[in-house]
Amino acid sequence: MPVKVMQASGVANYSDIAQGVLYSAQKGAKVINLSLGGRSYSSALHTAIQAATGAYGAVVVAGAGNDNTSAPFYPAAYPEVLAVAGTTQADTKASFSDYGAWVDVSAPAVAITTTFMGGDWGPADGTSFGTAFVSGLAG
């Protein structure tokens, strides 16, 4: 089920993401894909993810981020989340992918064919694409 947590401008507040996570879990989602995030820790978002994974039994999957840093990226860095880094076609770390001990798994994230606004399609990069693959596997 698609759940909109971002504003039209592309900004996503942690409080809105937290509400979306809880809504999804309460409606029966067993896998929640979070291909978004930021560098700040949010207790509200962490609590929502703990409820989704604990009380509702959902698997939460999130992209590790695209800044080539080991700094934690949330929600991926929460311990309850399956954090996904990105790989290349040669199965090496994608140059942009975040990394670190908080990352759980890697998946293809370079030159992934996708659709674009306006109906076009083509290749794009990002840990969000790897997150979609891992979410599908979790399902």
Side-chain angles (χ1 to χ4, degrees):
M1 85 182 87
V3 177
K4 182 179 178 181
V5 297
M6 297 180 87
Q7 299 170 18
S9 65
V11 172
N13 297 313
Y14 282 144
S15 58
D16 295 330
I17 300 167
Q19 287 179 337
V21 166
L22 280 178
Y23 175 85
S24 299
Q26 291 166 346
K27 295 297 181 185
K30 294 302 177 196
V31 178
I32 300 172
N33 177 341
L34 297 173
S35 293
L36 47 69
R39 297 284 168 207
S40 299
Y41 175 91
S42 165
S43 59
L45 181 54
H46 193 188
T47 298
I49 287 171
Q50 288 172 321
T53 59
Y56 295 98
V59 174
V60 178
V61 184
N66 302 313
D67 297 314
N68 191 31
T69 178
S70 63
F73 189 76
Y74 297 97
Y78 297 129
E80 299 82 6
V81 175
L82 189 56
V84 183
T87 62
T88 67
Q89 293 92 332
D91 202 25
T92 59
K93 179 190 158 300
S95 62
F96 56 81
S97 180
D98 290 358
Y99 56 91
W102 53 274
V103 172
D104 298 298
V105 65
S106 297
V110 174
I112 306 302
T113 300
T114 188
T115 56
F116 299 118
M117 296 285 283
D120 202 5
W121 58 275
D125 302 339
T127 59
S128 292
F129 296 103
T131 301
F133 290 126
V134 173
S135 295
L137 181 61

